[in-house]
Short mmCIF file of all heavy atoms in Angstrom, two decimals:
data_model
loop_
_atom_site.label_atom_id
_atom_site.label_comp_id
_atom_site.label_asym_id
_atom_site.label_seq_id
_atom_site.Cartn_x
_atom_site.Cartn_y
_atom_site.Cartn_z
N TYR A 72 7.70 1.03 -17.36
CA TYR A 72 8.47 1.82 -16.45
C TYR A 72 9.63 1.20 -15.98
O TYR A 72 9.52 0.02 -15.44
CB TYR A 72 7.53 2.22 -15.33
CG TYR A 72 8.11 3.09 -14.30
CD1 TYR A 72 8.51 4.50 -14.69
CD2 TYR A 72 8.59 2.68 -13.02
CE1 TYR A 72 9.09 5.38 -13.66
CE2 TYR A 72 9.10 3.57 -12.13
CZ TYR A 72 9.40 4.86 -12.46
OH TYR A 72 10.06 5.64 -11.51
N LYS A 73 10.75 1.81 -15.90
CA LYS A 73 11.99 1.42 -15.26
C LYS A 73 12.30 2.19 -14.02
O LYS A 73 12.44 3.49 -14.12
CB LYS A 73 13.07 1.49 -16.34
CG LYS A 73 12.91 0.57 -17.53
CD LYS A 73 12.75 -0.84 -17.17
CE LYS A 73 12.56 -1.55 -18.54
NZ LYS A 73 12.39 -3.16 -18.22
N VAL A 74 12.39 1.58 -12.89
CA VAL A 74 12.83 2.38 -11.66
C VAL A 74 14.31 2.89 -11.86
O VAL A 74 15.13 2.10 -12.33
CB VAL A 74 12.67 1.45 -10.46
CG1 VAL A 74 13.08 2.13 -9.18
CG2 VAL A 74 11.32 0.85 -10.26
N PRO A 75 14.50 4.18 -11.53
CA PRO A 75 15.87 4.67 -11.65
C PRO A 75 16.81 3.87 -10.91
O PRO A 75 16.51 3.30 -9.79
CB PRO A 75 15.67 6.18 -11.19
CG PRO A 75 14.39 6.22 -10.38
CD PRO A 75 13.57 5.12 -10.94
N ALA A 76 18.10 3.94 -11.16
CA ALA A 76 19.14 3.28 -10.40
C ALA A 76 19.61 3.95 -9.12
O ALA A 76 20.29 3.32 -8.42
CB ALA A 76 20.37 3.00 -11.39
N PHE A 77 19.22 5.25 -8.95
CA PHE A 77 19.52 5.94 -7.81
C PHE A 77 20.97 6.05 -7.67
O PHE A 77 21.65 5.84 -6.60
CB PHE A 77 18.91 5.39 -6.49
CG PHE A 77 17.34 5.26 -6.48
CD1 PHE A 77 16.77 4.14 -6.58
CD2 PHE A 77 16.66 6.44 -6.66
CE1 PHE A 77 15.36 3.95 -6.69
CE2 PHE A 77 15.32 6.46 -6.68
CZ PHE A 77 14.59 5.16 -6.72
N LYS A 78 21.67 6.25 -8.75
CA LYS A 78 23.12 6.40 -8.72
C LYS A 78 23.51 7.73 -8.17
O LYS A 78 22.81 8.67 -8.11
CB LYS A 78 23.76 6.15 -10.22
CG LYS A 78 23.56 4.82 -10.66
CD LYS A 78 24.24 4.72 -12.14
CE LYS A 78 24.08 3.38 -12.69
NZ LYS A 78 24.59 3.27 -14.02
N GLU A 79 24.83 7.78 -7.71
CA GLU A 79 25.34 8.96 -7.05
C GLU A 79 25.23 10.14 -8.16
O GLU A 79 25.57 9.96 -9.28
CB GLU A 79 26.77 8.76 -6.63
CG GLU A 79 26.80 7.80 -5.53
CD GLU A 79 28.23 7.47 -5.06
OE1 GLU A 79 29.19 8.25 -5.52
OE2 GLU A 79 28.60 6.50 -4.42
N GLY A 80 24.80 11.26 -7.66
CA GLY A 80 24.66 12.48 -8.55
C GLY A 80 23.30 12.76 -8.94
O GLY A 80 22.81 13.84 -9.37
N LEU A 81 22.30 11.69 -9.01
CA LEU A 81 21.02 11.78 -9.35
C LEU A 81 20.30 12.71 -8.39
O LEU A 81 20.31 12.47 -7.16
CB LEU A 81 20.26 10.55 -9.47
CG LEU A 81 18.81 10.53 -9.71
CD1 LEU A 81 18.52 10.97 -11.06
CD2 LEU A 81 18.15 9.14 -9.46
N GLU A 82 19.65 13.74 -8.77
CA GLU A 82 18.97 14.64 -7.90
C GLU A 82 17.46 14.06 -7.51
O GLU A 82 16.79 13.67 -8.54
CB GLU A 82 18.84 16.07 -8.46
CG GLU A 82 20.10 16.83 -8.34
CD GLU A 82 19.81 18.38 -8.44
OE1 GLU A 82 18.66 18.71 -8.83
OE2 GLU A 82 20.70 19.10 -8.19
N LEU A 83 17.18 14.09 -6.21
CA LEU A 83 15.83 13.58 -5.86
C LEU A 83 15.26 14.63 -4.86
O LEU A 83 16.04 15.26 -4.17
CB LEU A 83 15.99 12.23 -5.18
CG LEU A 83 16.35 11.08 -5.98
CD1 LEU A 83 16.63 9.90 -5.04
CD2 LEU A 83 15.42 10.78 -7.10
N PRO A 84 13.94 14.66 -4.89
CA PRO A 84 13.28 15.63 -3.93
C PRO A 84 13.23 15.22 -2.60
O PRO A 84 13.07 14.02 -2.29
CB PRO A 84 11.89 15.79 -4.48
CG PRO A 84 11.59 14.55 -5.28
CD PRO A 84 13.00 13.96 -5.81
N VAL A 85 13.58 16.28 -1.72
CA VAL A 85 13.26 16.07 -0.35
C VAL A 85 12.12 16.82 0.07
O VAL A 85 11.85 18.00 -0.27
CB VAL A 85 14.32 16.72 0.51
CG1 VAL A 85 14.20 16.68 2.07
CG2 VAL A 85 15.80 16.11 0.19
N ILE A 86 10.98 16.09 0.51
CA ILE A 86 9.58 16.54 0.46
C ILE A 86 9.02 16.49 1.97
O ILE A 86 9.29 15.62 2.67
CB ILE A 86 8.75 15.58 -0.35
CG1 ILE A 86 9.29 15.60 -1.84
CG2 ILE A 86 7.25 16.05 -0.49
CD1 ILE A 86 8.78 14.52 -2.75
N ARG A 87 8.13 17.69 2.20
CA ARG A 87 7.48 17.65 3.32
C ARG A 87 6.29 16.82 3.19
O ARG A 87 5.49 17.02 2.22
CB ARG A 87 7.09 19.01 3.83
CG ARG A 87 6.24 19.07 5.11
CD ARG A 87 6.28 20.33 5.83
NE ARG A 87 7.56 20.65 6.31
CZ ARG A 87 8.00 20.14 7.53
NH1 ARG A 87 7.29 19.38 8.28
NH2 ARG A 87 9.22 20.61 7.92
N MET A 88 5.99 15.82 4.10
CA MET A 88 4.76 14.95 4.23
C MET A 88 4.01 15.35 5.40
O MET A 88 4.58 15.67 6.44
CB MET A 88 5.09 13.57 4.19
CG MET A 88 6.05 13.18 2.97
SD MET A 88 5.19 12.57 1.61
CE MET A 88 6.57 11.96 0.56
N THR A 89 2.58 15.23 5.25
CA THR A 89 1.69 15.59 6.40
C THR A 89 0.62 14.61 6.42
O THR A 89 0.10 14.17 5.33
CB THR A 89 1.30 16.98 6.31
OG1 THR A 89 0.54 17.24 7.34
CG2 THR A 89 0.62 17.23 5.06
N TRP A 90 0.17 14.34 7.66
CA TRP A 90 -1.02 13.55 7.85
C TRP A 90 -2.06 14.61 7.84
O TRP A 90 -2.28 15.36 8.89
CB TRP A 90 -1.01 12.80 9.14
CG TRP A 90 -0.13 11.65 9.25
CD1 TRP A 90 1.13 11.50 9.95
CD2 TRP A 90 -0.15 10.41 8.61
NE1 TRP A 90 1.72 10.33 9.68
CE2 TRP A 90 0.99 9.61 8.88
CE3 TRP A 90 -1.17 9.85 7.74
CZ2 TRP A 90 1.15 8.34 8.44
CZ3 TRP A 90 -0.85 8.51 7.19
CH2 TRP A 90 0.21 7.77 7.73
N ARG A 91 -2.93 14.70 6.85
CA ARG A 91 -3.95 15.72 6.88
C ARG A 91 -5.22 15.25 7.78
O ARG A 91 -5.65 14.14 7.65
CB ARG A 91 -4.50 16.10 5.45
CG ARG A 91 -3.40 16.80 4.62
CD ARG A 91 -4.03 17.31 3.44
NE ARG A 91 -5.19 18.28 3.72
CZ ARG A 91 -5.86 18.91 2.75
NH1 ARG A 91 -5.60 18.74 1.48
NH2 ARG A 91 -6.86 19.79 3.17
N ASN A 92 -5.79 16.20 8.57
CA ASN A 92 -6.88 15.80 9.35
C ASN A 92 -7.93 17.08 9.27
O ASN A 92 -8.80 17.18 10.12
CB ASN A 92 -6.51 15.56 10.82
CG ASN A 92 -5.82 16.74 11.53
OD1 ASN A 92 -5.68 17.83 10.98
ND2 ASN A 92 -5.34 16.51 12.77
N ASP A 93 -7.73 17.69 8.14
CA ASP A 93 -8.72 18.99 7.93
C ASP A 93 -9.56 18.83 6.72
O ASP A 93 -9.91 19.80 6.11
CB ASP A 93 -7.88 20.17 7.90
CG ASP A 93 -6.85 20.08 6.81
OD1 ASP A 93 -6.66 19.17 6.15
OD2 ASP A 93 -6.26 21.26 6.44
N ARG A 94 -9.86 17.59 6.35
CA ARG A 94 -10.62 17.38 5.16
C ARG A 94 -11.98 17.88 5.26
O ARG A 94 -12.62 17.73 6.31
CB ARG A 94 -10.64 15.90 4.83
CG ARG A 94 -9.44 15.27 4.30
CD ARG A 94 -8.89 15.69 2.97
NE ARG A 94 -7.63 15.09 2.72
CZ ARG A 94 -6.98 15.33 1.74
NH1 ARG A 94 -7.28 16.37 0.80
NH2 ARG A 94 -5.85 14.74 1.30
N ASP A 95 -12.49 18.51 4.19
CA ASP A 95 -13.86 18.90 4.29
C ASP A 95 -14.91 17.65 4.24
O ASP A 95 -14.52 16.74 3.53
CB ASP A 95 -14.30 19.83 3.02
CG ASP A 95 -15.74 20.15 2.98
OD1 ASP A 95 -15.96 21.15 3.55
OD2 ASP A 95 -16.41 19.42 2.21
N ALA A 96 -15.84 17.71 5.01
CA ALA A 96 -16.73 16.51 5.39
C ALA A 96 -17.22 16.04 3.96
O ALA A 96 -17.36 14.77 3.63
CB ALA A 96 -17.90 16.81 6.24
N GLN A 97 -17.65 16.99 3.11
CA GLN A 97 -18.32 16.53 1.95
C GLN A 97 -17.39 15.96 0.97
O GLN A 97 -17.64 15.05 0.22
CB GLN A 97 -18.88 17.73 1.23
CG GLN A 97 -19.89 17.36 -0.04
CD GLN A 97 -20.91 16.55 0.54
OE1 GLN A 97 -21.69 16.86 1.39
NE2 GLN A 97 -21.17 15.42 -0.19
N GLN A 98 -15.94 16.29 1.02
CA GLN A 98 -14.95 15.61 0.29
C GLN A 98 -14.83 14.17 0.62
O GLN A 98 -14.78 13.25 -0.26
CB GLN A 98 -13.70 16.25 0.44
CG GLN A 98 -13.64 17.71 -0.22
CD GLN A 98 -12.21 18.30 -0.07
OE1 GLN A 98 -11.47 18.05 1.02
NE2 GLN A 98 -11.78 19.15 -0.82
N VAL A 99 -14.86 13.95 1.92
CA VAL A 99 -14.69 12.56 2.41
C VAL A 99 -15.82 11.79 2.01
O VAL A 99 -15.82 10.62 1.64
CB VAL A 99 -14.56 12.53 3.90
CG1 VAL A 99 -14.39 11.09 4.33
CG2 VAL A 99 -13.23 13.32 4.41
N ILE A 100 -17.11 12.31 2.21
CA ILE A 100 -18.41 11.69 1.79
C ILE A 100 -18.35 11.37 0.34
O ILE A 100 -18.87 10.25 -0.05
CB ILE A 100 -19.53 12.54 2.30
CG1 ILE A 100 -19.68 12.51 3.69
CG2 ILE A 100 -20.94 12.05 1.65
CD1 ILE A 100 -20.70 13.56 4.23
N ASP A 101 -18.00 12.28 -0.48
CA ASP A 101 -18.06 12.02 -1.83
C ASP A 101 -17.04 10.98 -2.34
O ASP A 101 -17.39 10.06 -3.25
CB ASP A 101 -17.69 13.34 -2.69
CG ASP A 101 -18.75 14.39 -2.66
OD1 ASP A 101 -19.86 14.04 -2.28
OD2 ASP A 101 -18.45 15.56 -2.94
N ALA A 102 -15.86 10.94 -1.73
CA ALA A 102 -14.87 9.90 -1.99
C ALA A 102 -15.38 8.51 -1.68
O ALA A 102 -15.33 7.57 -2.32
CB ALA A 102 -13.53 10.14 -1.31
N ALA A 103 -15.99 8.40 -0.42
CA ALA A 103 -16.51 7.24 0.08
C ALA A 103 -17.63 6.55 -0.80
O ALA A 103 -17.80 5.50 -1.17
CB ALA A 103 -16.93 7.13 1.44
N GLU A 104 -18.52 7.57 -1.25
CA GLU A 104 -19.62 7.29 -2.14
C GLU A 104 -19.25 6.73 -3.50
O GLU A 104 -19.66 5.76 -4.04
CB GLU A 104 -20.48 8.58 -2.24
CG GLU A 104 -21.85 8.31 -2.98
CD GLU A 104 -22.86 9.48 -2.90
OE1 GLU A 104 -22.41 10.48 -2.19
OE2 GLU A 104 -23.80 9.42 -3.57
N ALA A 105 -18.15 7.35 -3.99
CA ALA A 105 -17.66 6.92 -5.31
C ALA A 105 -17.08 5.53 -5.25
O ALA A 105 -17.26 4.76 -6.12
CB ALA A 105 -16.56 7.86 -5.83
N ALA A 106 -16.38 5.22 -4.06
CA ALA A 106 -15.77 3.87 -3.93
C ALA A 106 -16.85 2.90 -3.75
O ALA A 106 -16.78 1.74 -4.26
CB ALA A 106 -14.81 3.96 -2.72
N ILE A 107 -17.89 3.19 -2.95
CA ILE A 107 -18.94 2.26 -2.79
C ILE A 107 -19.73 1.93 -4.16
O ILE A 107 -20.06 0.83 -4.45
CB ILE A 107 -19.96 2.79 -1.79
CG1 ILE A 107 -19.28 2.77 -0.36
CG2 ILE A 107 -21.26 1.84 -1.71
CD1 ILE A 107 -20.07 3.47 0.71
N THR A 108 -20.01 3.03 -4.93
CA THR A 108 -20.52 2.75 -6.15
C THR A 108 -19.76 1.86 -7.04
O THR A 108 -20.29 1.00 -7.74
CB THR A 108 -20.74 4.11 -6.84
OG1 THR A 108 -21.54 4.97 -6.07
CG2 THR A 108 -21.46 3.86 -8.28
N LEU A 109 -18.46 1.96 -6.99
CA LEU A 109 -17.56 0.99 -7.87
C LEU A 109 -17.78 -0.36 -7.19
O LEU A 109 -17.72 -1.47 -7.99
CB LEU A 109 -16.15 1.49 -7.78
CG LEU A 109 -15.76 2.81 -8.44
CD1 LEU A 109 -14.38 3.20 -8.19
CD2 LEU A 109 -15.91 2.60 -9.90
N MET A 110 -17.73 -0.53 -5.84
CA MET A 110 -17.81 -1.83 -5.22
C MET A 110 -19.19 -2.50 -5.57
O MET A 110 -19.20 -3.74 -5.81
CB MET A 110 -17.72 -1.79 -3.79
CG MET A 110 -16.34 -1.36 -3.43
SD MET A 110 -16.25 -1.20 -1.50
CE MET A 110 -16.27 -2.97 -1.10
N LEU A 111 -20.19 -1.77 -5.89
CA LEU A 111 -21.52 -2.23 -6.16
C LEU A 111 -21.79 -2.24 -7.61
O LEU A 111 -23.02 -2.21 -8.03
CB LEU A 111 -22.55 -1.46 -5.37
CG LEU A 111 -22.40 -1.47 -3.78
CD1 LEU A 111 -23.54 -0.80 -3.19
CD2 LEU A 111 -22.43 -3.00 -3.39
N ASP A 112 -20.70 -2.15 -8.45
CA ASP A 112 -20.92 -2.21 -9.95
C ASP A 112 -21.84 -1.08 -10.50
O ASP A 112 -22.67 -1.43 -11.36
CB ASP A 112 -21.38 -3.62 -10.47
CG ASP A 112 -20.23 -4.58 -10.26
OD1 ASP A 112 -19.04 -4.17 -10.53
OD2 ASP A 112 -20.59 -5.83 -9.97
N GLY A 113 -21.77 0.15 -9.97
CA GLY A 113 -22.59 1.11 -10.48
C GLY A 113 -23.94 1.45 -9.72
O GLY A 113 -24.48 2.41 -9.95
N ASP A 114 -24.33 0.51 -8.90
CA ASP A 114 -25.56 0.69 -8.13
C ASP A 114 -25.34 1.91 -7.14
O ASP A 114 -24.40 2.00 -6.39
CB ASP A 114 -25.88 -0.58 -7.33
CG ASP A 114 -26.43 -1.77 -8.14
OD1 ASP A 114 -26.75 -1.52 -9.46
OD2 ASP A 114 -26.50 -2.85 -7.72
N HIS A 115 -26.44 2.78 -7.11
CA HIS A 115 -26.34 3.92 -6.35
C HIS A 115 -27.69 4.28 -5.73
O HIS A 115 -28.68 4.34 -6.54
CB HIS A 115 -25.73 5.00 -7.13
CG HIS A 115 -25.55 6.33 -6.42
ND1 HIS A 115 -26.48 7.29 -6.40
CD2 HIS A 115 -24.50 6.78 -5.75
CE1 HIS A 115 -26.00 8.33 -5.63
NE2 HIS A 115 -24.76 8.00 -5.12
N SER A 116 -27.64 4.69 -4.51
CA SER A 116 -28.97 5.09 -3.85
C SER A 116 -28.84 6.65 -3.66
O SER A 116 -27.84 7.16 -3.34
CB SER A 116 -29.04 4.35 -2.49
OG SER A 116 -30.07 4.95 -1.75
N GLU A 117 -30.05 7.18 -3.84
CA GLU A 117 -30.17 8.61 -3.66
C GLU A 117 -29.97 9.01 -2.25
O GLU A 117 -29.67 10.11 -1.88
CB GLU A 117 -31.36 9.18 -4.17
CG GLU A 117 -31.59 9.06 -5.60
CD GLU A 117 -33.06 9.61 -6.25
OE1 GLU A 117 -33.88 9.93 -5.12
OE2 GLU A 117 -33.33 9.56 -7.26
N LYS A 118 -30.09 8.04 -1.39
CA LYS A 118 -29.84 8.29 0.10
C LYS A 118 -28.49 8.03 0.61
O LYS A 118 -28.33 8.24 1.89
CB LYS A 118 -30.87 7.21 0.83
CG LYS A 118 -32.40 7.47 0.54
CD LYS A 118 -33.20 6.57 1.34
CE LYS A 118 -34.73 6.80 1.11
NZ LYS A 118 -35.52 5.87 1.83
N MET A 119 -27.53 7.76 -0.32
CA MET A 119 -26.15 7.39 0.09
C MET A 119 -25.56 8.59 0.69
O MET A 119 -24.80 8.44 1.72
CB MET A 119 -25.40 6.98 -1.15
CG MET A 119 -24.00 6.41 -0.90
SD MET A 119 -24.02 4.97 0.05
CE MET A 119 -24.47 3.79 -1.24
N ASP A 120 -25.64 9.76 0.30
CA ASP A 120 -24.94 10.93 0.79
C ASP A 120 -25.35 11.13 2.29
O ASP A 120 -24.46 11.26 3.16
CB ASP A 120 -25.33 12.11 0.01
CG ASP A 120 -24.55 13.35 0.34
OD1 ASP A 120 -24.92 14.06 1.40
OD2 ASP A 120 -23.48 13.63 -0.46
N ALA A 121 -26.67 11.09 2.58
CA ALA A 121 -27.15 11.28 3.99
C ALA A 121 -26.67 10.11 4.80
O ALA A 121 -26.32 10.29 5.98
CB ALA A 121 -28.60 11.47 3.95
N ALA A 122 -26.73 8.93 4.17
CA ALA A 122 -26.37 7.73 5.05
C ALA A 122 -24.87 7.74 5.37
O ALA A 122 -24.43 7.49 6.55
CB ALA A 122 -26.66 6.41 4.20
N LEU A 123 -23.96 8.24 4.53
CA LEU A 123 -22.58 8.35 4.71
C LEU A 123 -22.30 9.45 5.61
O LEU A 123 -21.36 9.40 6.58
CB LEU A 123 -21.87 8.50 3.46
CG LEU A 123 -21.61 7.34 2.61
CD1 LEU A 123 -21.06 7.63 1.18
CD2 LEU A 123 -20.85 6.19 3.30
N LYS A 124 -22.92 10.57 5.63
CA LYS A 124 -22.92 11.63 6.64
C LYS A 124 -23.09 11.16 8.01
O LYS A 124 -22.44 11.44 8.93
CB LYS A 124 -23.84 12.80 6.27
CG LYS A 124 -23.61 14.00 7.03
CD LYS A 124 -24.45 15.16 6.64
CE LYS A 124 -24.27 16.45 7.54
NZ LYS A 124 -25.17 17.50 7.13
N GLU A 125 -24.08 10.34 8.23
CA GLU A 125 -24.48 9.86 9.48
C GLU A 125 -23.36 8.95 10.07
O GLU A 125 -22.94 9.04 11.18
CB GLU A 125 -25.84 9.15 9.40
CG GLU A 125 -26.22 8.45 10.70
CD GLU A 125 -26.50 9.35 11.82
OE1 GLU A 125 -26.86 10.44 11.59
OE2 GLU A 125 -26.17 8.96 13.03
N VAL A 126 -22.80 7.97 9.23
CA VAL A 126 -21.84 7.09 9.74
C VAL A 126 -20.51 7.60 9.89
O VAL A 126 -19.67 7.20 10.74
CB VAL A 126 -21.88 5.74 8.99
CG1 VAL A 126 -23.20 5.08 8.97
CG2 VAL A 126 -21.48 5.92 7.48
N LEU A 127 -20.09 8.45 9.02
CA LEU A 127 -18.77 9.08 8.93
C LEU A 127 -18.59 10.26 9.89
O LEU A 127 -17.48 10.47 10.48
CB LEU A 127 -18.45 9.55 7.58
CG LEU A 127 -18.30 8.42 6.52
CD1 LEU A 127 -17.86 9.00 5.16
CD2 LEU A 127 -17.17 7.40 6.89
N TYR A 128 -19.66 10.87 10.23
CA TYR A 128 -19.64 12.16 11.06
C TYR A 128 -20.72 12.19 12.09
O TYR A 128 -20.82 13.18 12.90
CB TYR A 128 -19.78 13.45 10.25
CG TYR A 128 -18.56 13.54 9.31
CD1 TYR A 128 -18.51 13.16 8.09
CD2 TYR A 128 -17.38 14.19 9.78
CE1 TYR A 128 -17.38 13.23 7.21
CE2 TYR A 128 -16.24 14.24 9.04
CZ TYR A 128 -16.21 13.83 7.72
OH TYR A 128 -15.08 13.95 6.95
N GLY A 129 -21.45 11.00 12.38
CA GLY A 129 -22.36 11.04 13.42
C GLY A 129 -21.80 10.35 14.60
O GLY A 129 -20.52 10.46 14.91
N ASP A 130 -22.55 9.64 15.51
CA ASP A 130 -22.16 9.17 16.67
C ASP A 130 -21.10 8.02 16.48
O ASP A 130 -20.34 7.75 17.41
CB ASP A 130 -23.40 8.62 17.52
CG ASP A 130 -24.33 9.70 17.96
OD1 ASP A 130 -23.84 10.82 18.05
OD2 ASP A 130 -25.57 9.27 18.26
N GLU A 131 -21.08 7.29 15.28
CA GLU A 131 -20.24 6.20 15.09
C GLU A 131 -18.95 6.64 14.29
O GLU A 131 -18.22 5.79 13.81
CB GLU A 131 -21.01 5.17 14.27
CG GLU A 131 -22.30 4.63 15.02
CD GLU A 131 -22.83 3.48 14.22
OE1 GLU A 131 -23.55 3.87 13.24
OE2 GLU A 131 -22.58 2.37 14.40
N ALA A 132 -18.70 7.97 14.23
CA ALA A 132 -17.60 8.46 13.44
C ALA A 132 -16.28 7.83 13.98
O ALA A 132 -16.12 7.77 15.20
CB ALA A 132 -17.50 9.93 13.52
N GLY A 133 -15.39 7.35 13.04
CA GLY A 133 -14.12 6.76 13.47
C GLY A 133 -14.15 5.29 13.70
O GLY A 133 -13.18 4.66 14.03
N THR A 134 -15.30 4.74 13.77
CA THR A 134 -15.51 3.36 13.98
C THR A 134 -16.04 2.66 12.71
O THR A 134 -16.58 3.28 11.77
CB THR A 134 -16.43 3.03 15.19
OG1 THR A 134 -17.82 3.36 14.79
CG2 THR A 134 -16.09 3.73 16.32
N TRP A 135 -16.10 1.30 12.66
CA TRP A 135 -16.69 0.59 11.49
C TRP A 135 -18.17 0.62 11.76
O TRP A 135 -18.83 0.39 12.89
CB TRP A 135 -16.30 -0.89 11.47
CG TRP A 135 -14.96 -1.11 11.00
CD1 TRP A 135 -13.64 -1.21 11.80
CD2 TRP A 135 -14.50 -1.20 9.65
NE1 TRP A 135 -12.66 -1.28 10.95
CE2 TRP A 135 -13.19 -1.23 9.70
CE3 TRP A 135 -15.22 -1.10 8.42
CZ2 TRP A 135 -12.38 -1.31 8.47
CZ3 TRP A 135 -14.47 -1.25 7.27
CH2 TRP A 135 -13.05 -1.31 7.34
#
Side-chain angles (χ1 to χ4, degrees):
Y72 180 72
K73 301 297 182 184
V74 179
F77 303 116
K78 294 181 179 179
E79 294 176 17
L81 173 69
E82 283 199 348
L83 291 173
V85 177
I86 300 170
R87 178 160 293 279
M88 304 274 186
T89 182
W90 294 107
R91 290 194 59 179
N92 58 6
D93 60 349
R94 295 289 180 189
D95 179 83
Q97 193 59 50
Q98 291 180 328
V99 177
I100 291 169
D101 289 345
E104 186 170 355
I107 291 172
T108 301
L109 289 170
M110 292 179 71
L111 300 181
D112 290 326
D114 288 347
H115 182 267
S116 169
E117 294 181 356
K118 299 179 180 179
M119 185 67 74
D120 190 278
L123 285 170
K124 183 177 181 180
E125 174 62 28
V126 298
L127 296 177
Y128 291 96
D130 294 339
E131 297 180 284
T134 66
W135 285 97

